[in-house]
Amino acid sequence: MNAPEKFLAGTAAQPATGSSQPHESARAQVAGGATYVDDVPEVRGTLHAAPILSTVAHGRLKGVDAGAALKMPGVRGVVLARDIPGDPVLATFTHDEPIFAREKVEYVGQVVGLVVADTVMQARRAARQVKLAIDPLPAVLDVREAVKAQSFVLPPVTVRRGEPEQALARAPHRLAGSLEVGGQEHFYLEGQVGYALPLEQDNWWVYSSTQHPGEVQHWVAHALGLDSHAVTVECRRMGGGFGGKETQAGHVAVWAALAARKFRQPVKLRLDRDDDFLVTGKRHPFAYDWEVGFDDTGRIRGLKLMLAANCGFSADLSGPVADRAVFHADNAYFLGDVEIVSYRCKTNVQSHTAFRGFGGPQGMIVTEAILGDIARALGRDPLDVRRANLYGVTERNVTHYQMPVEDNILEPLIATLEQDCAYRARRTDIAAWNAKSPVIKRGLALTPVKFGISFTATFFNQAGALVHVYTDGSVQVNHGGTEMGQGLHTKVCQVVADELGVPFDRVRISATDTSKVPNASATAASSGTDLNGRAAQFAARQVRQRLAEFVARKHGGQPEQVVFAHGRVRWPGGDLGFEQLVDEAYHARLQLWSDGFYATPKIHYDKHTLTGRPFYYFAYGAACSEVAIDTLTGESRVLKVDILHDAGRSINPAIDIGQIEGGFIQGMGWLTTEQLVWNDRGQLATHAPSTYKIPATGDVPAHFRVALWPEANREDNVGGSKAVGEPPFMLAISVWEALRDAAAAARGDGHVRLDAPATAENVLKALKD
């Protein structure tokens, strides 16, 4: 058992869970009082570091000349690979990424070393004066070139079901196509930052803006040649993460710690925005080739699909990202006879990494493109073709990786949204508009999402928490998850408040800290509340059980008759304030704190065959988007968005709706304006807000409606809720499909090849090719 469940003290109606409590840091953030890593008061003697970056995409590193930099004001010295006391390679799963470039460089922006100085600007200016001697080597910059050259960071993976070749041969209709989908910069408001402080007896305290403090602890200890218990990593909050601080925050913390060790002083390293762009990985760009066979209704009869992920120069998290793309290539649709081949390509660019959706968006988008093309080829409504391919409830209900879909709500959810957003009437109106408008063409698309929730690496699906009840009745919670603005800490406090029956404002959270909850998993895979909320609930439940047993012993009755609610404790014949009970329990020497642990049940899969049950449950949703394009300029605008999303029984509706809105807009940016451009020398040309365009407030349509599906999670999850961090991101595929719908209306021939992002240039190409 995860918690004592022989008998449970009762709770009354749950006033915190299910209500839109304010974010636990909102007031402090608005008032400028919320502390981020760069706000932590600097210890006397703190130095600052800045990275020395490669200017060549691939080459032999012959020498580093720091002479000019060392003569500049305030400069204390440089840190290079020779200064690493531990393993010079980062402690990643694949052990393929050097901490600092040594004998060769493998992308423009690779960190060769650091300049350390008295101030931030002194370090940055000096770093730019370091001269690198590099003999260039041929670079692989294109993912299709990498496939041709068999340049891979990990071996290819193939998943098959049935006989796709025979199914294609038998199909009444066939289509084939290709697609290119770009990456995406995380563009977190708070950049990458680490602050390393040497303590007594070779112990270390590291402040890190990270989604995975435990991994940062492991990496820093590994680089310093120490045991993990010598390093403590703390993160109170991040100013955004989106996956970009899951592994890559570890680099910055390791670099800062190595500099602090060399100079025996605290060192802070905060990347400026340009360097952050140049150094860190992005969402994986993908290339696709596909061949599909289908019948007169548009139902897929056979599919062969090739996914090529541009992983950059090292593996990082590319293996599980590419795996999840394979898992989500079905999206919401049954694929009977199918072959999916996944290439994990090595190129001479930044090592691409986790990003909201973690490969899921790259898997889903190609199937949505295929279904859109099928609909146009048959002259059918795209929504009807999508419905023809949906998973069934009692049949056609097993994924291509052999997981039964047991909680399918796709058809009723889509039907509800279709009616609520007047989809059919709007299609008629848009057709009439397009017939009369020669320049501005409109498009409409309604697309679903089915997203698996759990880490695909099964062992990560565990969490721990601590709940402390103080003698005044106030409560402090600590858990292994991290807060990046998504509201995790708020939801955990709500869960604990209800478990103990106290008001929400009596519960506070403390900074995530590896010395409190060890070996915690990353806050990622949308599972932060599922894992940490459940662990905290179990910890609070154990405290509640002890208190209930204490009441029963003292006042009679049974523990399960004791009710904790609204800050009071009631039992047959008695009533007491929570604070008074806690004080009495303390004087009776009762333990008023506890730990909690949770491991996700039911999940398993074979990582070699990619079969099994990798996910505890699925989260569902659907979005209907209407767009307009200018056929003369290629410019586009999103006019209307209607969303119906499955968050289960929402723990905090305001936070969940905010996540849905934010996820959708971020997904819209990925597919419309956020274009990463590397030139023919491997230099990232779009490395600042002047050239890389995220959506602004003016891009949000005035008609932007979000509703929550009313059904609770059918699996036994905390509060009946469902994860909501990543699934809404994929709802934005409806915008891209609507743009293709508008382009098809402009072309008149039903053929549309629109690569993503759908910039004005790409829209014009789609109209003219």
Side-chain angles (χ1 to χ4, degrees):
M1 291 186 181
N2 285 305
E5 295 178 1
K6 184 178 179 182
F7 53 81
L8 297 177
T11 54
Q14 305 221 331
T17 300
S19 63
S20 293
Q21 299 290 339
H23 190 288
E24 55 89 23
S25 295
R27 289 181 177 86
Q29 287 166 324
V30 170
T35 301
Y36 296 85
V37 172
D38 203 34
D39 300 318
V40 173
E42 293 174 5
V43 174
R44 182 182 300 172
T46 293
L47 303 177
H48 297 266
I52 302 164
L53 306 182
S54 168
T55 56
V56 175
H58 191 206
R60 293 186 182 89
L61 180 60
K62 309 298 287 186
V64 178
D65 179 4
L70 292 172
K71 295 175 183 177
M72 296 181 70
V75 173
R76 298 295 189 93
V78 297
V79 184
L80 301 171
R82 63 173 176 261
D83 297 310
I84 301 171
D87 190 342
V89 180
L90 287 169
T92 63
F93 291 117
T94 49
H95 205 246
D96 65 344
E97 185 172 351
I99 293 172
F100 294 126
R102 294 176 291 170
E103 298 174 356
K104 62 180 178 179
V105 295
E106 297 193 79
Y107 73 96
V108 175
Q110 184 172 4
V111 176
V112 176
L114 306 171
V115 170
V116 179
D118 292 333
T119 70
V120 174
M121 295 312 299
Q122 286 173 340
R124 290 177 179 174
R125 293 188 189 104
R128 285 160 173 74
Q129 300 305 311
V130 176
K131 302 293 189 290
L132 301 178
I134 302 172
D135 291 342
L137 295 170
V140 177
L141 301 174
D142 178 77
V143 69
R144 293 189 181 274
E145 288 178 16
V147 173
K148 194 177 298 183
Q150 297 189 42
S151 174
F152 304 131
V153 296
L154 293 165
V157 170
T158 299
V159 174
R160 280 179 64 94
R161 176 164 65 177
E163 300 293 340
E165 293 82 7
Q166 289 89 324
L168 284 167
R170 292 192 302 267
H173 309 280
R174 292 172 71 168
L175 285 174
S178 298
L179 178 65
E180 310 285 331
V181 174
Q184 187 177 22
E185 164 63 31
H186 300 88
F187 219 109
Y188 22 64
L189 289 180
E190 176 202 30
Q192 298 279 6
V193 57
Y195 184 25
L197 292 83
L199 306 177
E200 62 171 89
Q201 302 180 64
D202 214 10
N203 289 313
W204 293 78
W205 196 279
V206 179
Y207 294 97
S208 176
S209 181
T210 175
Q211 294 173 237
H212 199 174
E215 185 169 71
V216 172
Q217 176 194 35
H218 176 54
W219 284 18
V220 170
H222 192 76
L224 295 178
L226 302 171
D227 292 332
S228 291
H229 66 199
V231 178
T232 299
V233 176
E234 178 182 326
C235 177
R236 176 57 181 89
R237 62 175 61 82
M238 288 163 276
F242 310 117
K245 296 176 180 177
E246 184 172 346
T247 59
Q248 305 218 346
H251 301 67
V252 177
V254 167
W255 296 331
L258 289 170
R261 181 192 178 277
K262 179 171 181 176
F263 294 98
R264 295 295 171 184
Q265 290 177 248
V267 171
K268 181 187 288 185
L269 172 54
R270 175 170 55 84
L271 299 180
D272 75 9
R273 185 64 67 177
D274 289 275
D275 286 351
D276 205 318
F277 264 83
L278 294 172
V279 171
T280 64
K282 324 298 177 194
R283 180 185 298 281
H284 291 67
F286 268 60
Y288 312 84
D289 294 323
W290 52 268
E291 185 177 6
V292 65
F294 52 97
D295 63 20
D296 293 341
T297 69
R299 178 172 284 185
I300 292 174
R301 295 301 182 184
L303 175 65
K304 296 192 73 171
L305 177 61
M306 186 281 293
L307 314 176
N310 184 339
C311 302
F313 86 100
S314 70
D316 195 86
L317 292 170
S318 295
V321 166
D323 287 351
R324 190 173 273 267
V326 171
F327 287 139
H328 286 80
D330 60 341
N331 189 12
Y333 313 109
F334 178 77
L335 303 176
D337 293 277
V338 60
E339 178 186 76
I340 303 172
V341 180
S342 170
Y343 295 109
R344 293 97 195 274
C345 300
K346 178 170 182 171
T347 58
N348 293 113
V349 298
Q350 293 83 350
S351 186
H352 297 312
T353 190
F355 200 129
R356 196 177 201 165
F358 202 79
Q362 295 98 312
M364 290 181 186
I365 191 170
V366 65
T367 303
E368 293 297 343
I370 290 168
L371 291 174
D373 287 350
I374 289 173
R376 282 182 284 275
L378 294 173
R380 295 178 62 85
D381 188 291
L383 180 57
D384 294 335
V385 171
R386 290 185 164 91
R387 277 185 145 145
N389 284 281
L390 289 176
Y391 276 103
V393 175
T394 58
E395 57 181 9
R396 291 168 46 85
N397 63 344
V398 178
T399 69
H400 55 292
Y401 48 92
Q402 306 304 313
M403 177 176 170
V405 181
E406 299 171 340
D407 56 359
N408 187 351
I409 58 171
L410 285 163
E411 180 54 46
L413 187 148
I414 290 171
T416 301
L417 179 62
E418 177 189 11
Q419 181 176 354
D420 290 350
C421 75
Y423 174 83
R424 301 290 173 178
R426 287 166 66 186
R427 281 208 74 85
T428 301
D429 292 344
I430 288 170
W433 166 280
N434 287 336
K436 296 178 180 178
S437 175
V439 175
I440 306 299
K441 299 293 184 181
R442 291 186 176 181
L444 185 72
L446 194 159
T447 61
V449 165
K450 174 185 69 66
F451 191 79
I453 303 298
S454 290
F455 285 98
T456 52
T458 304
F459 64 89
F460 277 141
N461 294 285
Q462 57 176 300
L466 298 171
V467 170
H468 298 169
V469 177
Y470 295 99
T471 54
D472 64 353
S474 63
V475 182
Q476 185 187 77
V477 184
N478 187 274
H479 61 86
T482 54
E483 176 65 46
M484 61 199 88
Q486 84 279 36
L488 169 61
H489 285 348
T490 307
K491 288 185 174 182
V492 171
C493 287
Q494 288 179 266
V495 170
V496 169
D498 283 351
E499 198 67 30
L500 295 175
V502 300
F504 173 71
D505 62 7
R506 295 290 281 163
V507 182
R508 285 280 179 95
I509 206 93
S510 60
T512 308
D513 176 342
T514 57
S515 67
K516 292 182 178 178
V517 176
N519 311 318
S521 299
T523 304
S526 300
S527 60
T529 302
D530 289 6
L531 295 174
N532 298 287
R534 198 61 141 180
Q537 183 181 47
F538 288 163
R541 184 170 295 174
Q542 293 186 68
V543 175
R544 193 186 81 202
Q545 289 304 119
R546 295 189 194 113
L547 289 170
E549 292 166 6
F550 172 72
V551 169
R553 287 195 303 271
K554 186 172 181 179
H555 299 284
Q558 298 299 315
E560 58 266 29
Q561 295 176 297
V562 182
V563 176
F564 295 73
H566 309 300
R568 300 197 67 77
V569 183
R570 297 179 177 86
W571 62 92
D575 177 278
L576 201 63
F578 183 78
E579 296 90 338
Q580 186 177 346
L581 173 61
V582 166
D583 184 68
E584 290 182 4
Y586 168 74
H587 284 92
R589 297 188 297 174
L590 189 78
Q591 182 180 335
L592 293 172
W593 61 271
S594 187
D595 63 319
F597 180 80
Y598 176 69
T600 308
K602 296 187 178 183
I603 54 175
H604 61 89
Y605 95 105
D606 185 327
K607 66 180 181 180
H608 302 293
T609 62
L610 266 64
T611 57
R613 179 177 178 154
F615 308 119
Y616 186 33
Y617 62 87
F618 293 104
Y620 300 92
C624 181
S625 294
E626 182 177 339
V627 305
I629 61 172
D630 185 325
T631 59
L632 300 180
T633 66
E635 294 173 287
S636 64
R637 180 169 292 279
V638 180
L639 304 176
K640 295 181 180 180
V641 174
D642 294 272
I643 294 172
L644 180 56
H645 191 74
D646 167 34
R649 185 185 295 120
S650 175
I651 292 174
N652 190 311
I655 284 176
D656 286 348
I657 289 172
Q659 285 291 292
I660 294 165
E661 293 171 340
F664 183 91
I665 296 300
Q666 191 173 50
M668 188 177 82
W670 171 52
L671 294 173
T672 57
T673 61
E674 296 185 43
Q675 187 172 34
L676 292 164
V677 177
W678 285 268
N679 64 23
D680 58 4
R681 297 184 301 280
Q683 297 170 328
L684 181 64
T686 50
H687 55 80
S690 58
T691 50
Y692 185 84
K693 299 299 182 182
I694 63 173
T697 53
D699 297 308
V700 179
H703 178 109
F704 190 14
R705 297 176 181 172
V706 177
L708 299 179
W709 183 252
E711 184 180 348
N713 193 336
R714 297 180 189 178
E715 294 292 348
D716 181 20
N717 204 46
V718 59
S721 65
K722 285 192 175 184
V724 77
E726 291 173 298
F729 183 95
M730 279 74 66
L731 295 172
I733 294 174
S734 61
V735 170
W736 184 71
E737 274 296 287
L739 290 168
R740 297 206 317 141
D741 186 58
R747 290 177 61 95
D749 61 1
H751 173 76
V752 179
R753 163 70 188 269
L754 176 60
D755 290 334
T759 60
E761 294 86 349
N762 281 344
V763 170
L764 283 177
K765 288 179 184 177
L767 293 173
K768 298 180 185 305
D769 281 352

